Amino acid sequence: MSEDCIFCKIASGDIPGDIVYEDEHVVAFRDLNPQAPTHVLVIPREHISTINDLEENHAELVGRLYLAAKQVAEAEGIAERGYRTVMNCNAEAGQTVYHIHLHVLGGRPMGWPPG
Ligand code: AMP
């Protein structure tokens, strides 16, 4: 837990989040500023700032982020239509919260390439 991390506080329940899935390892909650009809963020409970901070021992945890994303997509009814998962790394990619999070976006057609 990082004291000044907003996503750690959502994971611990210190501040409210609209949580749609959680287990021992990961938490998924709705984005405050949704960019699609479904916009959920999947985070590890462990504080990891960026993709660049991942270590070998995080390999299973990263897999769990995707397994949770799959469950969220099924629950939201977008699994078959399609959805996008995105994890931004550092400023140029648009990362604003420095606790890794997998965006799960769906419910509308997605453009490519992303902006
Ligand atoms: P990124 O730009 O990839 O770091 O994504 C950060 C995301 O977190 C943005 O889409 C924000 O809208 C979202 N966000 C920031 N604070 C909160 C919060 N307290 N609860 C839910 N989503 C948040």
Side-chain angles (χ1 to χ4, degrees), residues 67-107:
L67 289 170
K70 171 186 147 176
Q71 297 224 31
V72 168
E74 285 169 358
E76 294 284 311
I78 56 172
E80 298 310 318
R81 291 169 62 184
Y83 57 98
R84 182 166 292 169
T85 58
V86 178
M87 189 180 289
N88 297 320
C89 182
N90 277 341
E92 200 158 310
Q95 186 174 5
T96 57
V97 178
Y98 283 79
H99 178 132
I100 60 167
H101 46 280
L102 190 62
H103 294 259
V104 181
L105 297 140

PDB file of all heavy atoms in Angstrom, residues 67-107:
ATOM      1  N   LEU A  67      -7.603 -11.977 -16.506  1.00  0.00           N
ATOM      2  CA  LEU A  67      -8.705 -12.889 -16.153  1.00  0.00           C
ATOM      3  C   LEU A  67      -9.862 -12.105 -15.539  1.00  0.00           C
ATOM      4  O   LEU A  67     -11.034 -12.392 -15.811  1.00  0.00           O
ATOM      5  CB  LEU A  67      -8.207 -13.967 -15.187  1.00  0.00           C
ATOM      6  CG  LEU A  67      -7.272 -14.992 -15.828  1.00  0.00           C
ATOM      7  CD1 LEU A  67      -6.635 -15.879 -14.760  1.00  0.00           C
ATOM      8  CD2 LEU A  67      -8.032 -15.852 -16.842  1.00  0.00           C
ATOM      9  N   ALA A  68      -9.544 -11.079 -14.747  1.00  0.00           N
ATOM     10  CA  ALA A  68     -10.602 -10.230 -14.178  1.00  0.00           C
ATOM     11  C   ALA A  68     -11.271  -9.421 -15.290  1.00  0.00           C
ATOM     12  O   ALA A  68     -12.501  -9.255 -15.287  1.00  0.00           O
ATOM     13  CB  ALA A  68     -10.013  -9.304 -13.113  1.00  0.00           C
ATOM     14  N   ALA A  69     -10.481  -8.915 -16.240  1.00  0.00           N
ATOM     15  CA  ALA A  69     -11.050  -8.158 -17.366  1.00  0.00           C
ATOM     16  C   ALA A  69     -12.051  -9.022 -18.123  1.00  0.00           C
ATOM     17  O   ALA A  69     -13.137  -8.563 -18.518  1.00  0.00           O
ATOM     18  CB  ALA A  69      -9.935  -7.683 -18.296  1.00  0.00           C
ATOM     19  N   LYS A  70     -11.700 -10.271 -18.324  1.00  0.00           N
ATOM     20  CA  LYS A  70     -12.605 -11.200 -19.016  1.00  0.00           C
ATOM     21  C   LYS A  70     -13.908 -11.363 -18.246  1.00  0.00           C
ATOM     22  O   LYS A  70     -15.005 -11.321 -18.828  1.00  0.00           O
ATOM     23  CB  LYS A  70     -11.885 -12.551 -19.159  1.00  0.00           C
ATOM     24  CG  LYS A  70     -12.735 -13.676 -19.663  1.00  0.00           C
ATOM     25  CD  LYS A  70     -11.954 -14.976 -19.625  1.00  0.00           C
ATOM     26  CE  LYS A  70     -12.873 -16.130 -19.326  1.00  0.00           C
ATOM     27  NZ  LYS A  70     -12.178 -17.428 -19.373  1.00  0.00           N
ATOM     28  N   GLN A  71     -13.821 -11.488 -16.936  1.00  0.00           N
ATOM     29  CA  GLN A  71     -15.035 -11.628 -16.111  1.00  0.00           C
ATOM     30  C   GLN A  71     -15.880 -10.371 -16.174  1.00  0.00           C
ATOM     31  O   GLN A  71     -17.108 -10.430 -16.252  1.00  0.00           O
ATOM     32  CB  GLN A  71     -14.641 -11.880 -14.653  1.00  0.00           C
ATOM     33  CG  GLN A  71     -13.897 -13.172 -14.470  1.00  0.00           C
ATOM     34  CD  GLN A  71     -14.400 -13.934 -13.255  1.00  0.00           C
ATOM     35  OE1 GLN A  71     -15.565 -13.851 -12.901  1.00  0.00           O
ATOM     36  NE2 GLN A  71     -13.527 -14.681 -12.620  1.00  0.00           N
ATOM     37  N   VAL A  72     -15.223  -9.208 -16.128  1.00  0.00           N
ATOM     38  CA  VAL A  72     -15.948  -7.936 -16.207  1.00  0.00           C
ATOM     39  C   VAL A  72     -16.676  -7.847 -17.551  1.00  0.00           C
ATOM     40  O   VAL A  72     -17.860  -7.491 -17.609  1.00  0.00           O
ATOM     41  CB  VAL A  72     -14.979  -6.745 -16.031  1.00  0.00           C
ATOM     42  CG1 VAL A  72     -15.646  -5.426 -16.412  1.00  0.00           C
ATOM     43  CG2 VAL A  72     -14.459  -6.688 -14.589  1.00  0.00           C
ATOM     44  N   ALA A  73     -15.982  -8.181 -18.620  1.00  0.00           N
ATOM     45  CA  ALA A  73     -16.587  -8.095 -19.953  1.00  0.00           C
ATOM     46  C   ALA A  73     -17.803  -9.013 -20.055  1.00  0.00           C
ATOM     47  O   ALA A  73     -18.841  -8.636 -20.618  1.00  0.00           O
ATOM     48  CB  ALA A  73     -15.550  -8.442 -21.021  1.00  0.00           C
ATOM     49  N   GLU A  74     -17.694 -10.202 -19.497  1.00  0.00           N
ATOM     50  CA  GLU A  74     -18.841 -11.125 -19.518  1.00  0.00           C
ATOM     51  C   GLU A  74     -20.004 -10.543 -18.726  1.00  0.00           C
ATOM     52  O   GLU A  74     -21.152 -10.538 -19.190  1.00  0.00           O
ATOM     53  CB  GLU A  74     -18.427 -12.494 -18.970  1.00  0.00           C
ATOM     54  CG  GLU A  74     -17.596 -13.287 -19.975  1.00  0.00           C
ATOM     55  CD  GLU A  74     -16.950 -14.535 -19.376  1.00  0.00           C
ATOM     56  OE1 GLU A  74     -17.110 -14.788 -18.154  1.00  0.00           O
ATOM     57  OE2 GLU A  74     -16.271 -15.248 -20.134  1.00  0.00           O
ATOM     58  N   ALA A  75     -19.706 -10.015 -17.537  1.00  0.00           N
ATOM     59  CA  ALA A  75     -20.763  -9.464 -16.673  1.00  0.00           C
ATOM     60  C   ALA A  75     -21.421  -8.244 -17.315  1.00  0.00           C
ATOM     61  O   ALA A  75     -22.614  -7.999 -17.124  1.00  0.00           O
ATOM     62  CB  ALA A  75     -20.174  -9.093 -15.314  1.00  0.00           C
ATOM     63  N   GLU A  76     -20.641  -7.486 -18.092  1.00  0.00           N
ATOM     64  CA  GLU A  76     -21.160  -6.271 -18.731  1.00  0.00           C
ATOM     65  C   GLU A  76     -21.870  -6.570 -20.050  1.00  0.00           C
ATOM     66  O   GLU A  76     -22.417  -5.664 -20.695  1.00  0.00           O
ATOM     67  CB  GLU A  76     -20.008  -5.296 -19.004  1.00  0.00           C
ATOM     68  CG  GLU A  76     -19.352  -4.736 -17.754  1.00  0.00           C
ATOM     69  CD  GLU A  76     -20.190  -3.661 -17.074  1.00  0.00           C
ATOM     70  OE1 GLU A  76     -20.642  -2.731 -17.765  1.00  0.00           O
ATOM     71  OE2 GLU A  76     -20.399  -3.766 -15.854  1.00  0.00           O
ATOM     72  N   GLY A  77     -21.779  -7.825 -20.500  1.00  0.00           N
ATOM     73  CA  GLY A  77     -22.445  -8.225 -21.741  1.00  0.00           C
ATOM     74  C   GLY A  77     -21.744  -7.751 -23.001  1.00  0.00           C
ATOM     75  O   GLY A  77     -22.374  -7.607 -24.056  1.00  0.00           O
ATOM     76  N   ILE A  78     -20.435  -7.531 -22.912  1.00  0.00           N
ATOM     77  CA  ILE A  78     -19.692  -7.033 -24.082  1.00  0.00           C
ATOM     78  C   ILE A  78     -18.658  -8.039 -24.584  1.00  0.00           C
ATOM     79  O   ILE A  78     -17.943  -7.760 -25.552  1.00  0.00           O
ATOM     80  CB  ILE A  78     -18.988  -5.686 -23.787  1.00  0.00           C
ATOM     81  CG1 ILE A  78     -18.058  -5.814 -22.570  1.00  0.00           C
ATOM     82  CG2 ILE A  78     -20.024  -4.577 -23.574  1.00  0.00           C
ATOM     83  CD1 ILE A  78     -17.183  -4.583 -22.332  1.00  0.00           C
ATOM     84  N   ALA A  79     -18.610  -9.204 -23.942  1.00  0.00           N
ATOM     85  CA  ALA A  79     -17.552 -10.165 -24.283  1.00  0.00           C
ATOM     86  C   ALA A  79     -17.610 -10.589 -25.741  1.00  0.00           C
ATOM     87  O   ALA A  79     -16.579 -10.634 -26.425  1.00  0.00           O
ATOM     88  CB  ALA A  79     -17.643 -11.382 -23.363  1.00  0.00           C
ATOM     89  N   GLU A  80     -18.808 -10.857 -26.244  1.00  0.00           N
ATOM     90  CA  GLU A  80     -18.918 -11.349 -27.614  1.00  0.00           C
ATOM     91  C   GLU A  80     -18.810 -10.228 -28.637  1.00  0.00           C
ATOM     92  O   GLU A  80     -18.218 -10.401 -29.706  1.00  0.00           O
ATOM     93  CB  GLU A  80     -20.227 -12.128 -27.792  1.00  0.00           C
ATOM     94  CG  GLU A  80     -20.325 -13.369 -26.913  1.00  0.00           C
ATOM     95  CD  GLU A  80     -19.093 -14.265 -27.006  1.00  0.00           C
ATOM     96  OE1 GLU A  80     -18.587 -14.471 -28.129  1.00  0.00           O
ATOM     97  OE2 GLU A  80     -18.632 -14.743 -25.957  1.00  0.00           O
ATOM     98  N   ARG A  81     -19.390  -9.068 -28.322  1.00  0.00           N
ATOM     99  CA  ARG A  81     -19.318  -7.934 -29.256  1.00  0.00           C
ATOM    100  C   ARG A  81     -17.885  -7.474 -29.432  1.00  0.00           C
ATOM    101  O   ARG A  81     -17.479  -7.059 -30.523  1.00  0.00           O
ATOM    102  CB  ARG A  81     -20.120  -6.750 -28.706  1.00  0.00           C
ATOM    103  CG  ARG A  81     -21.600  -6.948 -28.671  1.00  0.00           C
ATOM    104  CD  ARG A  81     -22.262  -5.845 -27.880  1.00  0.00           C
ATOM    105  NE  ARG A  81     -22.046  -4.527 -28.479  1.00  0.00           N
ATOM    106  CZ  ARG A  81     -22.462  -3.381 -27.929  1.00  0.00           C
ATOM    107  NH1 ARG A  81     -23.102  -3.403 -26.786  1.00  0.00           N
ATOM    108  NH2 ARG A  81     -22.243  -2.244 -28.533  1.00  0.00           N
ATOM    109  N   GLY A  82     -17.169  -7.443 -28.310  1.00  0.00           N
ATOM    110  CA  GLY A  82     -15.793  -6.999 -28.339  1.00  0.00           C
ATOM    111  C   GLY A  82     -15.561  -5.847 -27.392  1.00  0.00           C
ATOM    112  O   GLY A  82     -16.474  -5.084 -27.074  1.00  0.00           O
ATOM    113  N   TYR A  83     -14.343  -5.742 -26.956  1.00  0.00           N
ATOM    114  CA  TYR A  83     -13.952  -4.695 -26.017  1.00  0.00           C
ATOM    115  C   TYR A  83     -12.450  -4.500 -26.132  1.00  0.00           C
ATOM    116  O   TYR A  83     -11.753  -5.287 -26.770  1.00  0.00           O
ATOM    117  CB  TYR A  83     -14.373  -5.066 -24.586  1.00  0.00           C
ATOM    118  CG  TYR A  83     -13.819  -6.377 -24.081  1.00  0.00           C
ATOM    119  CD1 TYR A  83     -12.684  -6.410 -23.279  1.00  0.00           C
ATOM    120  CD2 TYR A  83     -14.412  -7.599 -24.423  1.00  0.00           C
ATOM    121  CE1 TYR A  83     -12.171  -7.605 -22.813  1.00  0.00           C
ATOM    122  CE2 TYR A  83     -13.905  -8.793 -23.965  1.00  0.00           C
ATOM    123  CZ  TYR A  83     -12.787  -8.796 -23.156  1.00  0.00           C
ATOM    124  OH  TYR A  83     -12.276  -9.989 -22.707  1.00  0.00           O
ATOM    125  N   ARG A  84     -11.983  -3.432 -25.543  1.00  0.00           N
ATOM    126  CA  ARG A  84     -10.554  -3.125 -25.629  1.00  0.00           C
ATOM    127  C   ARG A  84      -9.959  -3.071 -24.239  1.00  0.00           C
ATOM    128  O   ARG A  84     -10.568  -2.529 -23.313  1.00  0.00           O
ATOM    129  CB  ARG A  84     -10.338  -1.785 -26.331  1.00  0.00           C
ATOM    130  CG  ARG A  84      -8.856  -1.453 -26.495  1.00  0.00           C
ATOM    131  CD  ARG A  84      -8.647  -0.321 -27.469  1.00  0.00           C
ATOM    132  NE  ARG A  84      -9.004  -0.736 -28.817  1.00  0.00           N
ATOM    133  CZ  ARG A  84      -9.137   0.094 -29.852  1.00  0.00           C
ATOM    134  NH1 ARG A  84      -8.942   1.383 -29.682  1.00  0.00           N
ATOM    135  NH2 ARG A  84      -9.449  -0.369 -31.043  1.00  0.00           N
ATOM    136  N   THR A  85      -8.761  -3.613 -24.087  1.00  0.00           N
ATOM    137  CA  THR A  85      -8.005  -3.444 -22.849  1.00  0.00           C
ATOM    138  C   THR A  85      -6.785  -2.597 -23.170  1.00  0.00           C
ATOM    139  O   THR A  85      -6.132  -2.802 -24.204  1.00  0.00           O
ATOM    140  CB  THR A  85      -7.569  -4.799 -22.252  1.00  0.00           C
ATOM    141  OG1 THR A  85      -6.783  -5.498 -23.207  1.00  0.00           O
ATOM    142  CG2 THR A  85      -8.767  -5.640 -21.851  1.00  0.00           C
ATOM    143  N   VAL A  86      -6.512  -1.648 -22.300  1.00  0.00           N
ATOM    144  CA  VAL A  86      -5.385  -0.721 -22.505  1.00  0.00           C
ATOM    145  C   VAL A  86      -4.698  -0.503 -21.168  1.00  0.00           C
ATOM    146  O   VAL A  86      -5.368  -0.302 -20.151  1.00  0.00           O
ATOM    147  CB  VAL A  86      -5.883   0.658 -23.000  1.00  0.00           C
ATOM    148  CG1 VAL A  86      -4.700   1.628 -23.151  1.00  0.00           C
ATOM    149  CG2 VAL A  86      -6.647   0.557 -24.295  1.00  0.00           C
ATOM    150  N   MET A  87      -3.362  -0.520 -21.182  1.00  0.00           N
ATOM    151  CA  MET A  87      -2.608  -0.085 -20.005  1.00  0.00           C
ATOM    152  C   MET A  87      -1.582   0.935 -20.464  1.00  0.00           C
ATOM    153  O   MET A  87      -0.674   0.624 -21.240  1.00  0.00           O
ATOM    154  CB  MET A  87      -1.920  -1.263 -19.308  1.00  0.00           C
ATOM    155  CG  MET A  87      -1.325  -0.855 -17.962  1.00  0.00           C
ATOM    156  SD  MET A  87      -0.510  -2.208 -17.109  1.00  0.00           S
ATOM    157  CE  MET A  87      -1.880  -3.220 -16.621  1.00  0.00           C
ATOM    158  N   ASN A  88      -1.767   2.173 -20.036  1.00  0.00           N
ATOM    159  CA  ASN A  88      -0.860   3.251 -20.409  1.00  0.00           C
ATOM    160  C   ASN A  88       0.375   3.228 -19.505  1.00  0.00           C
ATOM    161  O   ASN A  88       0.266   2.940 -18.315  1.00  0.00           O
ATOM    162  CB  ASN A  88      -1.569   4.600 -20.268  1.00  0.00           C
ATOM    163  CG  ASN A  88      -2.759   4.720 -21.208  1.00  0.00           C
ATOM    164  OD1 ASN A  88      -2.687   4.292 -22.348  1.00  0.00           O
ATOM    165  ND2 ASN A  88      -3.850   5.294 -20.726  1.00  0.00           N
ATOM    166  N   CYS A  89       1.510   3.560 -20.086  1.00  0.00           N
ATOM    167  CA  CYS A  89       2.753   3.614 -19.300  1.00  0.00           C
ATOM    168  C   CYS A  89       3.428   4.961 -19.468  1.00  0.00           C
ATOM    169  O   CYS A  89       3.877   5.303 -20.568  1.00  0.00           O
ATOM    170  CB  CYS A  89       3.710   2.498 -19.716  1.00  0.00           C
ATOM    171  SG  CYS A  89       5.223   2.495 -18.723  1.00  0.00           S
ATOM    172  N   ASN A  90       3.433   5.707 -18.385  1.00  0.00           N
ATOM    173  CA  ASN A  90       4.140   7.004 -18.298  1.00  0.00           C
ATOM    174  C   ASN A  90       3.481   8.097 -19.148  1.00  0.00           C
ATOM    175  O   ASN A  90       2.459   7.874 -19.811  1.00  0.00           O
ATOM    176  CB  ASN A  90       5.627   6.836 -18.611  1.00  0.00           C
ATOM    177  CG  ASN A  90       6.407   6.371 -17.385  1.00  0.00           C
ATOM    178  OD1 ASN A  90       5.936   6.499 -16.265  1.00  0.00           O
ATOM    179  ND2 ASN A  90       7.599   5.839 -17.593  1.00  0.00           N
ATOM    180  N   ALA A  91       4.059   9.275 -19.076  1.00  0.00           N
ATOM    181  CA  ALA A  91       3.375  10.496 -19.502  1.00  0.00           C
ATOM    182  C   ALA A  91       2.975  10.502 -20.972  1.00  0.00           C
ATOM    183  O   ALA A  91       1.847  10.871 -21.318  1.00  0.00           O
ATOM    184  CB  ALA A  91       4.263  11.702 -19.205  1.00  0.00           C
ATOM    185  N   GLU A  92       3.864  10.097 -21.846  1.00  0.00           N
ATOM    186  CA  GLU A  92       3.562  10.237 -23.272  1.00  0.00           C
ATOM    187  C   GLU A  92       2.416   9.327 -23.706  1.00  0.00           C
ATOM    188  O   GLU A  92       1.715   9.621 -24.678  1.00  0.00           O
ATOM    189  CB  GLU A  92       4.817   9.976 -24.118  1.00  0.00           C
ATOM    190  CG  GLU A  92       4.692  10.572 -25.486  1.00  0.00           C
ATOM    191  CD  GLU A  92       6.011  10.821 -26.175  1.00  0.00           C
ATOM    192  OE1 GLU A  92       6.915  11.437 -25.579  1.00  0.00           O
ATOM    193  OE2 GLU A  92       6.138  10.385 -27.328  1.00  0.00           O
ATOM    194  N   ALA A  93       2.211   8.263 -22.979  1.00  0.00           N
ATOM    195  CA  ALA A  93       1.079   7.372 -23.276  1.00  0.00           C
ATOM    196  C   ALA A  93      -0.196   7.844 -22.600  1.00  0.00           C
ATOM    197  O   ALA A  93      -1.270   7.289 -22.847  1.00  0.00           O
ATOM    198  CB  ALA A  93       1.414   5.953 -22.842  1.00  0.00           C
ATOM    199  N   GLY A  94      -0.078   8.846 -21.711  1.00  0.00           N
ATOM    200  CA  GLY A  94      -1.272   9.384 -21.068  1.00  0.00           C
ATOM    201  C   GLY A  94      -1.549   8.837 -19.684  1.00  0.00           C
ATOM    202  O   GLY A  94      -2.653   9.004 -19.161  1.00  0.00           O
ATOM    203  N   GLN A  95      -0.548   8.173 -19.068  1.00  0.00           N
ATOM    204  CA  GLN A  95      -0.786   7.672 -17.703  1.00  0.00           C
ATOM    205  C   GLN A  95      -0.886   8.849 -16.743  1.00  0.00           C
ATOM    206  O   GLN A  95      -0.024   9.736 -16.726  1.00  0.00           O
ATOM    207  CB  GLN A  95       0.346   6.730 -17.265  1.00  0.00           C
ATOM    208  CG  GLN A  95       0.048   6.086 -15.904  1.00  0.00           C
ATOM    209  CD  GLN A  95       1.075   5.035 -15.494  1.00  0.00           C
ATOM    210  OE1 GLN A  95       2.081   4.821 -16.162  1.00  0.00           O
ATOM    211  NE2 GLN A  95       0.813   4.380 -14.373  1.00  0.00           N
ATOM    212  N   THR A  96      -1.959   8.859 -15.958  1.00  0.00           N
ATOM    213  CA  THR A  96      -2.166   9.945 -14.982  1.00  0.00           C
ATOM    214  C   THR A  96      -2.204   9.437 -13.550  1.00  0.00           C
ATOM    215  O   THR A  96      -1.983  10.201 -12.621  1.00  0.00           O
ATOM    216  CB  THR A  96      -3.476  10.712 -15.271  1.00  0.00           C
ATOM    217  OG1 THR A  96      -4.570   9.791 -15.252  1.00  0.00           O
ATOM    218  CG2 THR A  96      -3.421  11.413 -16.622  1.00  0.00           C
ATOM    219  N   VAL A  97      -2.514   8.150 -13.373  1.00  0.00           N
ATOM    220  CA  VAL A  97      -2.524   7.564 -12.029  1.00  0.00           C
ATOM    221  C   VAL A  97      -1.426   6.500 -12.001  1.00  0.00           C
ATOM    222  O   VAL A  97      -1.439   5.554 -12.804  1.00  0.00           O
ATOM    223  CB  VAL A  97      -3.890   6.941 -11.679  1.00  0.00           C
ATOM    224  CG1 VAL A  97      -3.835   6.292 -10.296  1.00  0.00           C
ATOM    225  CG2 VAL A  97      -4.995   8.009 -11.713  1.00  0.00           C
ATOM    226  N   TYR A  98      -0.493   6.667 -11.041  1.00  0.00           N
ATOM    227  CA  TYR A  98       0.701   5.835 -11.033  1.00  0.00           C
ATOM    228  C   TYR A  98       0.545   4.630 -10.097  1.00  0.00           C
ATOM    229  O   TYR A  98       1.301   4.440  -9.149  1.00  0.00           O
ATOM    230  CB  TYR A  98       1.941   6.706 -10.772  1.00  0.00           C
ATOM    231  CG  TYR A  98       2.294   7.448 -12.042  1.00  0.00           C
ATOM    232  CD1 TYR A  98       1.588   8.590 -12.430  1.00  0.00           C
ATOM    233  CD2 TYR A  98       3.242   6.944 -12.929  1.00  0.00           C
ATOM    234  CE1 TYR A  98       1.850   9.237 -13.631  1.00  0.00           C
ATOM    235  CE2 TYR A  98       3.521   7.578 -14.128  1.00  0.00           C
ATOM    236  CZ  TYR A  98       2.821   8.712 -14.482  1.00  0.00           C
ATOM    237  OH  TYR A  98       3.078   9.328 -15.682  1.00  0.00           O
ATOM    238  N   HIS A  99      -0.483   3.843 -10.454  1.00  0.00           N
ATOM    239  CA  HIS A  99      -0.724   2.505  -9.903  1.00  0.00           C
ATOM    240  C   HIS A  99      -1.279   1.762 -11.106  1.00  0.00           C
ATOM    241  O   HIS A  99      -2.339   2.150 -11.621  1.00  0.00           O
ATOM    242  CB  HIS A  99      -1.739   2.589  -8.751  1.00  0.00           C
ATOM    243  CG  HIS A  99      -2.106   1.274  -8.118  1.00  0.00           C
ATOM    244  ND1 HIS A  99      -2.114   1.097  -6.746  1.00  0.00           N
ATOM    245  CD2 HIS A  99      -2.507   0.096  -8.655  1.00  0.00           C
ATOM    246  CE1 HIS A  99      -2.498  -0.144  -6.474  1.00  0.00           C
ATOM    247  NE2 HIS A  99      -2.741  -0.778  -7.616  1.00  0.00           N
ATOM    248  N   ILE A 100      -0.585   0.749 -11.591  1.00  0.00           N
ATOM    249  CA  ILE A 100      -0.979   0.159 -12.875  1.00  0.00           C
ATOM    250  C   ILE A 100      -2.456  -0.228 -12.868  1.00  0.00           C
ATOM    251  O   ILE A 100      -2.994  -0.696 -11.861  1.00  0.00           O
ATOM    252  CB  ILE A 100      -0.108  -1.050 -13.297  1.00  0.00           C
ATOM    253  CG1 ILE A 100      -0.159  -2.183 -12.279  1.00  0.00           C
ATOM    254  CG2 ILE A 100       1.311  -0.621 -13.607  1.00  0.00           C
ATOM    255  CD1 ILE A 100       0.439  -3.489 -12.812  1.00  0.00           C
ATOM    256  N   HIS A 101      -3.075  -0.012 -14.027  1.00  0.00           N
ATOM    257  CA  HIS A 101      -4.505  -0.308 -14.169  1.00  0.00           C
ATOM    258  C   HIS A 101      -4.768  -0.673 -15.615  1.00  0.00           C
ATOM    259  O   HIS A 101      -4.278  -0.026 -16.537  1.00  0.00           O
ATOM    260  CB  HIS A 101      -5.364   0.879 -13.743  1.00  0.00           C
ATOM    261  CG  HIS A 101      -4.927   2.192 -14.281  1.00  0.00           C
ATOM    262  ND1 HIS A 101      -3.877   2.910 -13.728  1.00  0.00           N
ATOM    263  CD2 HIS A 101      -5.364   2.917 -15.342  1.00  0.00           C
ATOM    264  CE1 HIS A 101      -3.699   4.021 -14.420  1.00  0.00           C
ATOM    265  NE2 HIS A 101      -4.577   4.050 -15.406  1.00  0.00           N
ATOM    266  N   LEU A 102      -5.570  -1.712 -15.771  1.00  0.00           N
ATOM    267  CA  LEU A 102      -5.976  -2.165 -17.095  1.00  0.00           C
ATOM    268  C   LEU A 102      -7.349  -1.569 -17.379  1.00  0.00           C
ATOM    269  O   LEU A 102      -8.312  -1.866 -16.668  1.00  0.00           O
ATOM    270  CB  LEU A 102      -6.037  -3.689 -17.102  1.00  0.00           C
ATOM    271  CG  LEU A 102      -6.208  -4.384 -18.449  1.00  0.00           C
ATOM    272  CD1 LEU A 102      -5.026  -4.080 -19.373  1.00  0.00           C
ATOM    273  CD2 LEU A 102      -6.338  -5.895 -18.238  1.00  0.00           C
ATOM    274  N   HIS A 103      -7.411  -0.677 -18.377  1.00  0.00           N
ATOM    275  CA  HIS A 103      -8.703  -0.141 -18.782  1.00  0.00           C
ATOM    276  C   HIS A 103      -9.452  -1.232 -19.549  1.00  0.00           C
ATOM    277  O   HIS A 103      -8.881  -1.873 -20.435  1.00  0.00           O
ATOM    278  CB  HIS A 103      -8.523   1.039 -19.753  1.00  0.00           C
ATOM    279  CG  HIS A 103      -7.874   2.253 -19.170  1.00  0.00           C
ATOM    280  ND1 HIS A 103      -8.579   3.364 -18.781  1.00  0.00           N
ATOM    281  CD2 HIS A 103      -6.573   2.541 -18.931  1.00  0.00           C
ATOM    282  CE1 HIS A 103      -7.749   4.296 -18.339  1.00  0.00           C
ATOM    283  NE2 HIS A 103      -6.521   3.823 -18.424  1.00  0.00           N
ATOM    284  N   VAL A 104     -10.733  -1.411 -19.242  1.00  0.00           N
ATOM    285  CA  VAL A 104     -11.609  -2.309 -20.010  1.00  0.00           C
ATOM    286  C   VAL A 104     -12.708  -1.427 -20.583  1.00  0.00           C
ATOM    287  O   VAL A 104     -13.514  -0.856 -19.834  1.00  0.00           O
ATOM    288  CB  VAL A 104     -12.209  -3.414 -19.125  1.00  0.00           C
ATOM    289  CG1 VAL A 104     -13.093  -4.336 -19.961  1.00  0.00           C
ATOM    290  CG2 VAL A 104     -11.112  -4.203 -18.414  1.00  0.00           C
ATOM    291  N   LEU A 105     -12.677  -1.256 -21.891  1.00  0.00           N
ATOM    292  CA  LEU A 105     -13.586  -0.329 -22.573  1.00  0.00           C
ATOM    293  C   LEU A 105     -14.437  -1.090 -23.569  1.00  0.00           C
ATOM    294  O   LEU A 105     -13.920  -1.907 -24.347  1.00  0.00           O
ATOM    295  CB  LEU A 105     -12.771   0.715 -23.341  1.00  0.00           C
ATOM    296  CG  LEU A 105     -11.890   1.642 -22.499  1.00  0.00           C
ATOM    297  CD1 LEU A 105     -10.555   1.865 -23.174  1.00  0.00           C
ATOM    298  CD2 LEU A 105     -12.592   2.966 -22.263  1.00  0.00           C
ATOM    299  N   GLY A 106     -15.745  -0.799 -23.560  1.00  0.00           N
ATOM    300  CA  GLY A 106     -16.604  -1.466 -24.528  1.00  0.00           C
ATOM    301  C   GLY A 106     -17.984  -0.855 -24.564  1.00  0.00           C
ATOM    302  O   GLY A 106     -18.287   0.094 -23.832  1.00  0.00           O
ATOM    303  N   GLY A 107     -18.796  -1.405 -25.465  1.00  0.00           N
ATOM    304  CA  GLY A 107     -20.157  -0.904 -25.604  1.00  0.00           C
ATOM    305  C   GLY A 107     -20.317   0.079 -26.741  1.00  0.00           C
ATOM    306  O   GLY A 107     -21.404   0.618 -26.958  1.00  0.00           O
TER     307      GLY A 107
END
